[in-house]
Amino acid sequence: MPRKPDPQLEQAIVDAGLRLLDRQGISAVTMREVAKAAGTTTPTLYERFKDREALLDSITNFHRDRLVATLEPDDSLEEAGRKFLAYCRRNPNSVLLLLQRIAKNLKAKKQGPVYELVRSNLVKIDGLTAKEAEDLTLATSSLIFGTALLISNLGPGPAATELERAMLKLMRRLVDSHKPQRKEKRQR
Amino acid sequence: MREVARQANTTTPTVYARFADRDALLWEVFKTVQADAYLRVMRCESVEQIAEVVLRYLIDFPGRLELLNRCWPRAMAEGSPQPVLDFARKKLQQQRKCSDADAREISLSLAALVVGAAMLIRAMGSGYVSKEVFQSAMDAVSTICSP
């Protein structure tokens, strides 16, 4: 029997999933628990979301959209990195989901908004070939995600601050080392 | 605790007699993993080699990668020994002739880079792009480590 789309119900379900994620982490987000938290039944949930992965996708979209909303197109790489970490600090349980999403995109050769932002920042560097920009984007993404993961497990404090500062410094060093004069020096 | 008891051919009460709770047990396992990782890097002659060995290690042992993510914060907060990181820091200082503070900062961020790359590669599974993530991480380490 064809079902009527019910955006309100679907939103309530995603919201319930988000709350569960926030309070208890990814493993707590099961179809049964989400149905309960949303005040509906599991069969109803399965009518709206094919499976757990589909539900997690919607939840990830929410976080991705909210993260992207904090970024400006003319943000420097450092600013973007800072904002990304700030978002991950406020939403520690979203980091793994965002990481899985970028991994999925990379594998499918898709480029999500965050990846694009980093890449567009890097291609501006003089003398950087397209391949080098791509590589640097991958390395920067690994760096940002690694830092975000570690910080999300750390909670606020001097260690988190140290990690963030180290990340930003490394990003600066990586970009600087690709500037033409430095590169020439290295290749001599 | 129950699974560990089963695997170790002992009883759950026995495990609890030696480890207050699951966290305490995981912490001890973590220290063992740290020592194991150190054995693998101690013969490395450069920071680049260390990074490659560690990255491969974390990809080959995803459970240990998860454990690292879970336990490293405590290690950082408590200031407990981190043999691989400390070793990398010393090598970095030799290689790059930088200050102690710089070496600390750089080795910390390189560690984050390696962890991030490992997580991405695990999430992607095998394939061409995985290799690109691996190579790009190694290239970045190499760039940073040259004097």
Side-chain angles (χ1 to χ4, degrees):
Chain A
M1 194 150 66
R3 60 167 168 83
K4 298 196 312 266
D6 187 346
Q8 229 177 355
L9 175 60
E10 279 153 26
Q11 192 55 55
I13 289 170
V14 173
D15 284 344
L18 281 164
R19 280 196 311 272
L20 271 172
L21 176 73
D22 219 19
R23 290 186 200 142
Q24 298 173 48
I26 294 184
S27 52
V29 183
T30 64
M31 297 298 258
R32 204 160 73 179
E33 285 307 313
V34 173
K36 215 161 68 174
T40 185
T41 67
T42 316
T44 306
L45 186 49
Y46 272 103
E47 277 172 27
R48 308 284 156 188
F49 295 90
K50 175 164 155 248
D51 51 24
R52 183 172 179 257
E53 194 180 320
L55 177 57
L56 285 175
D57 262 346
S58 295
I59 293 174
T60 306
N61 289 343
F62 173 87
H63 276 295
R64 181 215 45 208
D65 292 342
R66 238 183 29 172
L67 164 64
V68 169
T70 71
L71 304 169
E72 310 272 340
D74 58 353
D75 269 339
S76 70
L77 198 55
E78 234 165 282
E79 245 333 278
R82 234 185 275 265
K83 288 180 179 178
F84 189 89
L85 288 187
Y87 190 84
C88 290
R89 248 189 248 105
R90 292 194 305 269
N91 303 275
N93 289 339
S94 73
V95 183
L96 258 176
L97 282 180
L98 289 168
L99 183 135
Q100 281 166 5
R101 171 59 63 84
I102 193 179
K104 191 161 117 179
N105 284 349
L106 281 174
K107 191 155 187 187
K109 305 239 172 212
K110 253 180 64 183
Q111 307 203 318
V114 177
Y115 186 89
E116 249 319 294
L117 184 69
V118 174
R119 201 187 64 89
S120 61
N121 237 293
L122 292 170
V123 291
K124 291 186 211 146
I125 302 176
D126 251 337
L128 207 63
T129 69
K131 177 81 173 72
E132 283 169 339
E134 214 61 54
D135 276 351
L136 201 51
T137 308
L138 286 176
T140 307
S141 303
S142 294
L143 173 61
I144 294 178
F145 269 104
T147 308
L149 258 167
L150 292 168
I151 282 185
S152 70
N153 286 328
L154 259 172
T161 312
E162 197 185 349
L163 262 168
E164 173 163 355
R165 212 181 40 230
M167 177 191 94
L168 294 171
K169 198 73 171 293
L170 191 71
M171 279 166 61
R172 230 174 288 143
R173 284 176 207 266
L174 276 173
V175 166
D176 283 348
S177 72
H178 279 279
K179 301 228 165 101
Q181 336 77 277
R182 285 288 300 275
K183 220 192 218 160
E184 228 181 76
K185 210 160 137 197
R186 268 196 358 256
Q187 284 168 350
R188 249 189 250 130
Chain B
M1 298 295 258
R2 207 159 67 184
E3 256 315 294
V4 168
R6 212 167 63 86
Q7 289 286 331
N9 264 325
T10 185
T11 67
T12 315
T14 306
V15 176
Y16 272 106
R18 279 144 183 74
F19 301 93
D21 54 25
R22 187 170 174 258
D23 274 342
L25 175 59
L26 285 174
W27 180 247
E28 285 307 313
V29 175
F30 174 62
K31 288 201 283 192
T32 309
V33 168
Q34 277 185 311
D36 183 54
Y38 179 73
L39 283 177
R40 289 164 198 255
V41 303
M42 57 186 239
R43 253 163 306 196
C44 289
E45 292 174 338
S46 66
V47 180
E48 292 92 320
Q49 268 183 12
I50 296 172
E52 181 162 352
V53 168
V54 173
L55 184 50
R56 286 194 195 279
Y57 185 72
L58 294 175
I59 293 170
D60 289 343
F61 297 105
R64 298 181 199 199
L65 172 58
E66 201 181 322
L67 187 63
L68 174 69
N69 277 330
R70 190 202 167 94
C71 294
W72 194 17
R74 177 172 159 186
M76 274 196 80
E78 291 181 7
S80 42
Q82 302 185 62
V84 174
L85 192 58
D86 292 338
F87 183 66
R89 193 169 39 97
K90 290 194 196 98
K91 274 268 176 262
L92 186 62
Q93 250 185 302
Q94 290 166 11
Q95 251 177 262
R96 225 170 164 268
K97 317 250 183 279
C98 58
S99 69
D100 196 38
D102 273 356
R104 279 189 79 85
E105 205 174 52
I106 296 173
S107 53
L108 198 59
S109 55
L110 288 182
L113 169 60
V114 167
V115 167
M119 291 294 297
L120 274 175
I121 291 171
R122 283 301 312 176
M124 286 195 299
S126 64
Y128 179 65
V129 191
S130 279
K131 295 199 180 78
E132 290 193 325
V133 174
F134 190 99
Q135 196 50 56
S136 68
M138 294 297 98
D139 287 345
V141 174
S142 182
T143 301
I144 294 297
C145 289
S146 39

